[in-house]
Amino acid sequence: MTKKLLLKDVAKLAGVSEMTASRALRGAPDVSAKTKAKIEEIARTHGYVPNRIAGSLSSQSVNLVAVVVPSLNSFVFPEVLSGISAVLKESPLKPVVGVSGYDLEEEESVIREMLSWRPSGLIVAGLEHTEATRRMLQQADCPVVEVMDVDGDPVRHCVGISHLQAGGGMAEQILARGYRSIGFIGTKMPQDFRARKRFEGFTDGLAAQNVTLSDMEHYSGESSIQTGRQLTSQMLARNPHLDCIYYSSDVMSVGGLMHCLAAGLSVPGDIALAGFNNLQILQGLPLQLATTDACRHEIGERAARIILKSRETGKAEELVFDRLTPAISLGETL
Amino acid sequence: MTKKLLLKDVAKLAGVSEMTASRALRGAPDVSAKTKAKIEEIARTHGYVPNRIAGSLSSQSVNLVAVVVPSLNSFVFPEVLSGISAVLKESPLKPVVGVSGYDLEEEESVIREMLSWRPSGLIVAGLEHTEATRRMLQQADCPVVEVMDVDGDPVRHCVGISHLQAGGGMAEQILARGYRSIGFIGTKMPQDFRARKRFEGFTDGLAAQNVTLSDMEHYSGESSIQTGRQLTSQMLARNPHLDCIYYSSDVMSVGGLMHCLAAGLSVPGDIALAGFNNLQILQGLPLQLATTDACRHEIGERAARIILKSRETGKAEELVFDRLTPAISLGETL
DNA sequence: ATCGGTATCGACACCGTTATCGATACCGGG
DNA sequence: CCCGGTATCGATAACGGTGTCGATACCGAT
């Protein structure tokens, strides 16, 4: 670990000015091919790593896009991220992830932290924020995209699906198939606004046809197969007549399916199941579960494209409000 | 979106010097409680967001810890991350995640990018890197921890488990239970060095008792339940006499279990199954799968603690080499 | 009243890079 | 051979904060 190597050192070794070295290493014009090669050679052999803090301060530009999500522990947000990365790949921009833990206060502090690095764009999951967060988003001098959800009042750009609509759509499908004794099982309900909206849309959809929820469970912990299995078991124990359960996520509905397998219940004969998200990784189970696709990858792509476009053009972008359609796939459990 | 607010503006509004405003907002000493309150009030109402680029350049310190992982799409690395976050939570440091996509060239570029931000520490998954990456890690003027794996030659600090040992241990357990017709199914084998080491340790473990692998499948795509199911189906079709399959990951072994369920095979009567990682989210299946715990959370915690400690003390840390013990849990499928 | 000590604050330099603009060298055309 | 134009390069001033150290005010003790 030798003493840190600065641009001036590289320049001195190459016998040029700092300015020329800087240009050469950034691929900027006004450097002859020969000197450029020499400088690059020296930088490489000596392991020079440019100080982007200084560079960004000077150039007033940071090639980072801040992405703030509630969690990485589900499969949901990594897929949004991969959509973002895919689009950003062919640009100098890089995504930087922050995790808010489904906590609006924490979200505020994470966003404040990220904005303090003056990113080229900010993508944040959800429309619900503290007042201070909303102010920051409004005043941020970079494009801001709120993703995943469109049911609410976006601060700037917005790309997502309507979770109200997703819940309502599933209610329609379930009712259309004749189910009437319906339960709901959700996780993280206090904090997960989108799950709550699905729940709301779902009960509204039922109510529209004069059906009320027969039972429900709002679990505050994380989703897991185990949790889904246990809650399903409990709910069916106290309500054996239920003929359908709607879950806040696929992971939970898989747990439900596991309970049914163990209990010898036929699905959907004895009981129908439906989840949400359409997670690829859960394909391959005994039955293909009914679910709604949340368009995660595409949401990520579109959000990233908004950032890119607003970078190319000279700001003053008109606001984008992209409402994608959540497609229901019935699978074999409805 | 008003014109950007600088520290000097806040200072002017508060009628103090930039220096005093800076101190007040950072909670530094030498500011009276009254002026501090006033400055904070002004900063809050006007929505001042400090420019950490300038601040970091000046103070020569960045409260970020770079974390480079191959992927976020499995459950594996998010758990390492949560261990890191948990430890960093009570410090000013924040983790920043970079994804290398199981590609050493991409890893090099991600690490170069992260180091150019002069983080307070770097945590990177794996011991295999390009030569250029190794040089960067050596020369980085921050603590560097290679995590997950200990089978190799760490550049600096190292926290992980031996995947050779993990594979060997599972081989022992499988042989001890009398299985002799054994297959292996792995994903990402060309790029996932740790999976390859488990494979190697596994075959060595078998060889030690004069057993050779009866069949194997090295699939290059990502892990998924579906893939596990299909590959298991194919392998059992061409080798019906197999009595045990070892998978490179739990997600794949779940797929194997799903095939057995569908095919009416009894587990472990007709065929035994074992995976790797001990993923919590997959608990709750019909059978608890045999697996090896990869100590993900603890690895993250320990790595973060190394960074913290080396920050407190004045560098010159002695190298840490933490070899955790991967515990096998037999479950009900062996 | 004088003095040393502490609390509070500000002026100035500096962090490592890049934007700007001027300087120099070199080239072909008239 | 002179001249305008281009290619190449360097000196200087930022960028927006913070470290340092000196200045000032205020306090109780002598």
Side-chain angles (χ1 to χ4, degrees), chain A residues 3-146:
Chain A
K3 47 198 61 168
K4 44 192 167 181
L5 200 64
L6 302 180
L7 182 62
K8 79 169 92 163
D9 302 315
V10 175
K12 205 166 297 173
L13 287 168
V16 298
S17 72
E18 292 182 50
M19 203 52 237
T20 303
S22 169
R23 281 195 271 250
L25 295 175
R26 281 178 297 141
D30 288 359
V31 184
S32 73
K34 204 171 60 181
T35 42
K36 177 172 174 184
K38 183 176 177 185
I39 292 168
E40 280 173 342
E41 166 66 10
I42 289 177
R44 183 158 0 97
T45 60
H46 291 256
Y48 170 69
V49 178
N51 186 328
R52 228 175 276 276
I53 297 179
S56 295
L57 179 61
S58 178
S59 67
Q60 298 284 66
S61 75
V62 180
N63 284 335
L64 297 177
V65 175
V67 183
V68 179
V69 300
S71 160
L72 291 174
N73 288 320
S74 73
F75 281 106
V76 178
F77 300 104
E79 264 194 66
V80 179
L81 257 184
S82 80
I84 295 173
S85 303
V87 169
L88 257 35
K89 186 123 291 183
E90 301 308 322
S91 83
L93 299 184
K94 314 235 176 238
V96 177
V97 186
V99 179
S100 66
Y102 284 107
D103 173 351
L104 293 189
E105 301 297 328
E106 177 71 7
E107 182 190 73
E108 176 180 330
S109 108
V110 168
I111 289 181
R112 189 189 311 282
E113 171 75 18
M114 310 223 81
L115 284 181
S116 76
W117 288 98
R118 301 292 188 268
S120 294
L122 173 65
I123 298 173
V124 53
L127 293 165
E128 286 75 19
H129 315 286
T130 66
E131 257 317 302
T133 302
R134 289 181 68 87
R135 266 203 306 279
M136 284 193 290
L137 298 184
Q138 270 156 8
Q139 300 194 353
D141 67 338
C142 66
V144 173
V145 190
E146 289 167 281

Side-chain angles (χ1 to χ4, degrees), chain B residues 229-244:
Chain B
R229 181 170 175 168
Q230 284 170 353
L231 294 180
T232 302
S233 164
Q234 290 166 19
M235 182 173 284
L236 289 178
R238 65 176 178 250
N239 264 317
H241 67 285
L242 281 186
D243 55 18
C244 179

Side-chain angles (χ1 to χ4, degrees), chain B residues 105-306:
Chain B
E105 301 296 329
E106 178 69 7
E107 182 190 70
E108 176 180 330
S109 107
V110 169
I111 289 182
R112 189 190 310 282
E113 172 74 19
M114 309 223 82
L115 285 181
S116 76
W117 289 98
R118 301 293 188 266
S120 293
L122 174 65
I123 297 174
V124 52
L127 293 165
E128 286 76 19
H129 314 286
T130 66
E131 256 317 303
T133 302
R134 290 181 66 87
R135 266 202 307 277
M136 284 192 291
L137 297 184
Q138 272 157 6
Q139 300 194 352
D141 67 340
C142 66
V144 173
V145 190
E146 289 166 281
V147 296
M148 308 299 290
D149 189 6
V150 299
D151 300 318
D153 193 23
V155 174
R156 312 260 287 267
H157 304 286
C158 182
V159 181
I161 63 170
S162 164
H163 289 257
L164 284 168
Q165 179 189 334
M170 190 55 89
E172 272 182 38
Q173 293 294 333
I174 285 172
L175 291 176
R177 271 155 195 75
Y179 303 106
R180 288 298 179 273
S181 268
I182 301 164
F184 176 90
I185 294 180
T187 53
K188 284 268 168 210
M189 290 305 281
Q191 311 100 314
D192 186 338
F193 292 96
R194 291 175 290 286
R196 264 161 56 179
K197 286 171 186 172
R198 292 196 294 279
F199 174 68
E200 204 182 314
F202 186 67
T203 53
D204 288 355
L206 296 183
Q209 298 187 37
N210 295 313
V211 175
T212 56
L213 213 52
S214 299
D215 195 358
M216 61 178 237
E217 183 76 58
H218 283 188
Y219 182 72
S220 64
E222 295 257 4
S223 291
S224 79
I225 293 177
Q226 186 72 283
T227 307
R229 181 170 175 168
Q230 284 170 353
L231 294 180
T232 302
S233 164
Q234 290 166 19
M235 182 173 284
L236 289 178
R238 65 176 178 250
N239 264 317
H241 67 285
L242 281 186
D243 55 18
C244 179
I245 301 181
Y246 182 39
Y247 296 83
S248 66
S249 81
D250 282 349
V251 173
M252 295 294 288
S253 65
V254 168
L257 178 59
M258 291 304 137
H259 166 76
C260 294
L261 275 180
L265 294 170
S266 101
V267 177
D270 295 327
I271 176 105
L273 306 174
F276 178 84
N277 261 330
N278 193 23
L279 295 181
Q280 289 308 313
I281 197 164
L282 295 179
Q283 302 278 323
L285 297 176
L287 292 174
Q288 192 176 333
L289 281 153
T291 190
T292 306
D293 191 89
C295 310
R296 298 178 299 287
H297 200 273
E298 184 170 4
I299 286 175
E301 288 181 341
R302 290 192 182 220
R305 272 199 214 97
I306 292 175

